Amino acid sequence: MKSAFRLIALAMLVALLAACARETVPEPAPPEPAPPARPAPAPVETAALDPRDFTDPRNLDNTDSVLYQRVIYFEFDRSTIQSQYEPIVRAHAEYLRANPSARVILEGHTDERGSREYNLGLGERRGNSVYELMTAIGASSRQIEVVSYGEERPVCRQSNEDCWQRNRRTEIVYTAR
Amino acid sequence: MTAKRRSLFTRLSWCWLLLALPLLAHAQLRIEIVDGVEGAMPIAVVPFAWEADGPPPATAISDIISANLYRSGLFAPMEERDMIDRPSRPPEVRFGTWRLQRVDHLLIGRVTDSPDGFGQEIEYHLLDVHSGRVLLSRAQPVGPGDLRLGAHRVSDAVYEALIGIPGAFATRIAYVTVSDLGGEDELFELVVADADGFNPQAIVRNTQPILSPSWSPDGRQLAYVSFATGRSNVVVQDLYTGQNRTVSSDRGINGAPAFSPDGRYLAMSLSRTGSSEIWLLDLQTDRLQQLTNHWSINTEPAFSPDGRAIYFTSDRAGRPQVYAMNLDGTDVRRVTHEGRYNARATIGPDGQRLAVVHGDGNDFRIALHHRDSGQLRVLSNGPLDESPSFAPNGSMILYAARRGEQGILAAVSADGRVRQTLVASAADVREPAWSPLIR
């Protein structure tokens, strides 16, 4: 009797595992698909895409455009924007200025070293640095929200400088284009 | 994220949650002693006679007590198989036998049904083998199903009788576990368990981060930081009713909650003004008062045991250091000076010792700062130790550490001599908080 129950339980577990496994077959992760509601404009109307036109929403998905880049990296325990990342912030600030209905969240992150709550503060400071440069260039403060995740959302999980470098970042996340 | 992707995500999470639940229910911390004290006191905890109705519990009371005393690092309990006698009442004790076996103290007892018919009673006697004196003779009442708690209370009494300070065995610990749900998804759980790792219960589950649990002084409530909404919020949850209340959800950071010793106030770090500052929330009136006003990061408030000062972390001098101030925010003074990085202070019950995260380059360890001497003593081995939490009797400091890529908990005695690790089988464990003494 007992073993019959075990068999049934085992069968259920296997079924559940199979169901989960089926669902977790990795979908090919495509870049955000274009919203299907908006039909593609007729080719006649399409101006040639200039990757340096930071007011054009199409450049957000154009790998050749600076607007495609959304991550600013920082040095340890620092929140100043290094010069090589300034063009990215400027491009997005110009985009926001030209597209007043666009909205972004600036997600501030840190590496794992040090205490978690202090890192929340540090992550926010990194978000704020980007926020200040963006608003100085003309983006509206109403378009931007800073959210700090501290060390809670690493992109890389090993304990070495290579990984820490990738985790010390501000991500520009569009919630409206 | 499109609607379709979101629904798939929800389905996936639930699916894995269903699978994971039975496993998590058993995900108990395993305690391993790393270093003990040389010259620990030899004691014999004789199996207690079971004179109550029904079968004895699977884990004997004497085993729980022995394990507790051993874990403290201060006792060397005798193996049961080496015991020649099994007395359960003082007149049955033949001291000569125990003296020959080089035991200093003897704990004997028996379990009977409670005279009022409700639960049981543990009658126990602690004896000095050399003088033959009875040091303790008590009856510990236990509610139905509470034998483990009863064993912890007996351990507390024995510890206090022989060491001179109250034991902290009948307490609980809170911590956060993080398990992989596959892909990018993680499951965060806020868990409360007995101080020996038994009876773990997840009181909050979420796929978004949970951190900084903090006990109310009566041990009834936990305040913590939840990212359930995608942003940081401070939540206070009642452990008995399960009810919770979001007490702070302003723009910016809502973090680092700490109860005042009288339970009336909650200190937090909020960045609603643009920079993170220490604020004090009156939990009775909901009145909120700003204590610090400085452009730097001000966070990790901790009350002194007398409730008259708040310690906190600030990088106003360039690097994070621990500061103290009065409850109204006046008289801010720097407390730690040694080293480049001192943060996340937790205050010992004597108010004189502060455990901090002490950083030196890539190395982060737990250190003890003595207020009177101003000296800092490193207690842990690093390299990524954090979140220290004092045992309520001041004997041990519990903290989060790394073993390879796994997050574990570790504990070290305040004198640095006793070490142990608390490891969960699969999950990452972090953010420990030791409860106050629960009477």
Side-chain angles (χ1 to χ4, degrees), chain B residues 71-151:
Chain B
R71 258 187 308 114
S72 77
L74 303 177
F75 295 91
M78 184 186 218
E79 296 278 350
E80 193 188 319
R81 61 168 183 270
D82 296 334
M83 295 176 190
I84 294 163
D85 272 349
R86 305 287 171 94
S88 62
R89 293 172 170 80
E92 300 165 8
V93 175
R94 290 178 296 186
F95 287 104
T97 313
W98 299 103
R99 273 182 212 129
L100 276 177
Q101 291 194 287
R102 302 188 180 282
V103 171
D104 287 349
H105 297 97
L106 190 62
L107 184 68
I108 59 173
R110 56 198 188 103
V111 182
T112 58
D113 285 315
S114 175
D116 62 11
F118 188 72
Q120 289 120 359
E121 209 169 69
I122 306 175
E123 179 198 295
Y124 64 98
H125 311 273
L126 177 66
L127 304 128
D128 181 323
V129 170
H130 301 289
S131 67
R133 276 188 19 228
V134 177
L135 303 177
L136 268 185
S137 235
R138 285 188 196 163
Q140 172 67 50
V142 248
D146 269 352
L147 271 172
R148 285 200 77 91
L149 178 63

Side-chain angles (χ1 to χ4, degrees), chain A residues 83-97:
Chain A
S83 56
Q84 68 264 41
Y85 298 110
E86 245 187 69
I88 302 175
V89 181
R90 289 185 177 279
H92 288 280
E94 277 181 41
Y95 180 83
L96 290 170
R97 189 171 57 184

Side-chain angles (χ1 to χ4, degrees), chain A residues 5 57 65 97 112 114 118 123 153 175:
Chain A
F5 273 127
S65 175
R97 189 171 57 184
E112 64 184 344
Y118 177 77
R153 286 273 180 228
T175 54

